[in-house]
Amino acid sequence: MSERVKTDMGGATAALDYDAELMLRVKEGDGASFGLLLEKHRSPVVHFLYRMVQNHAVAEELAQEVFLRVYRSRSSYEPTAKFTTWLFRIATHLALNSLRDGKNERLQERLDDDSTDMPVRQISDSRPSVEQKMVFRARLEEVRRAVAALPEKQRAAVLMHKYEEMEYSQIARVLRCSESAVKSLLFRAYETLRARLAHMA
Amino acid sequence: MKCPIETRENAEVLLAYCTRKLDAESTAILERHMEICPACREFASGQRSVWEALDAWEAAPVTLDFDRRLYRRIDREGSWWNLLMRPFRPMLVRQGLPIAAAAGLLVMAGVLLERPASGPSAAQPQSAQVDALQPDQVEHALDTMHMLGEFSSRVRGDAADPKM
């Protein structure tokens, strides 16, 4: 199997990841491999989508669509890139479409603000005071607003760089742009975030 | 060291430093530079604040029925053909053979009905011509041919005898 996932990428033969192997097994009809992929990537995909659209219900709905598309594409799957590149390309595409369609805002009207459902990281003491909690919530809200204010592509680039720890080259493949364009996107995004969040130090 | 903040390309080094992805040697060089460069110090400090602020933003855990909902959607998609055929299934199971026979008969009837419609239209003009020829017409034509033959042989005989 490992021989099969070696593919030619821009002239250089590269051995692909274990996820691609699993996906090739899904292609051969192995449902258990799809379960493994889901187990491994469920949380990163949902969390990425949540930070993109900032609504948990919408994020889960979009994540369902991501995995559904992965499953639907199993018969035509070819491991020409890292599995996560493909996965996050689908996720980013769906998130950007959702943001452009304004579906998120319409749903937001119907759903309660889920910012209160977010886990609160305890600052120093194991049992933070009410005041500490309030301060933390206010700071968190500020972070959310600062990220939401970023242009969509910059936001996607920052989230992949910060939370998924992707390399510039992989982000470039996900966003279908050059590596230098990604560096530029990130530089501008962090510049904006520094201006808005530096006082939080 | 050239100040990394001067160009966007070099700022990548500062970003890597703030995310602790810079190798030890480059980190040491950058830290020496930052001791004398307030702009880079400010950049790094601001970037670290952003990094920590983003760290605090945790996403909620995925709901427990996520997989169940997904597999239900997959099953629903996979069985659309079954759903489409469901109303016809009892009929197909109980009366499969008679339905197949009836379908076969319909196909055969269609083929047979199609065949005579195309045959006569092509053959009709030939048979119409044959019917139009009467026996006396043939006899008359043969008589005429015989007379013409006799006439031509006499004409040839006169031409051969110069005395006449």
Side-chain angles (χ1 to χ4, degrees), chain A residues 10-26:
Chain A
T13 305
L16 286 177
D17 51 344
Y18 179 59
D19 293 339
E21 275 192 46
L22 287 175
M23 193 59 206
L24 283 171
R25 286 182 204 156
V26 177

Side-chain angles (χ1 to χ4, degrees), chain B residues 9-23:
Chain B
E9 287 72 30
N10 287 344
E12 190 190 327
V13 177
L14 269 170
L15 280 180
Y17 170 76
C18 298
T19 55
R20 295 182 182 87
K21 282 181 182 170
L22 204 61
D23 60 86

Side-chain angles (χ1 to χ4, degrees), chain A residues 34-35 38 42 47 50-51 54 56 60-61 63-65 67-68 71-72 118 121 136 140 143-144 147 162-163 168 183-184 187-188 190 193-194 201, chain B residues 7-8 11-12 15-16 19 21 42-43 45-47 49-51 53-63 65-67 69-71 73-74 77:
Chain A
F34 181 74
L38 180 61
R42 185 200 305 112
H47 292 169
Y50 166 69
R51 290 182 177 112
Q54 303 211 2
H56 198 71
E60 283 213 355
E61 190 56 35
Q64 292 252 324
E65 188 60 34
F67 287 106
L68 203 60
Y71 190 77
R72 271 188 213 139
M118 294 299 105
R121 179 175 281 189
F136 185 80
L140 197 58
V143 173
R144 281 168 51 126
V147 172
K162 169 73 183 92
Y163 297 103
Y168 298 123
K183 285 175 190 172
S184 181
F187 187 87
R188 278 183 278 134
Y190 285 129
L193 291 176
R194 277 197 304 276
Chain B
T7 60
R8 240 172 224 196
E12 190 190 327
L15 280 180
T19 55
K21 282 181 182 170
E42 198 186 333
F43 181 104
S45 155
Q47 188 60 29
S49 303
V50 168
W51 214 247
L54 291 173
D55 270 337
W57 187 17
E58 286 182 2
V62 182
T63 51
D65 68 338
F66 183 88
D67 289 10
R69 282 188 288 138
L70 177 66
Y71 282 119
R73 283 179 74 174
I74 288 172
E77 275 209 4

Side-chain angles (χ1 to χ4, degrees), chain B residues 8 17 20 35 47 69 85 130 147 151 153 156 163:
Chain B
R8 240 172 224 196
Y17 170 76
R20 295 182 182 87
E35 281 170 16
Q47 188 60 29
R69 282 188 288 138
M85 294 303 287
V130 171
M147 275 171 64
F151 176 74
S153 64
R156 260 186 243 127
K163 289 175 193 172

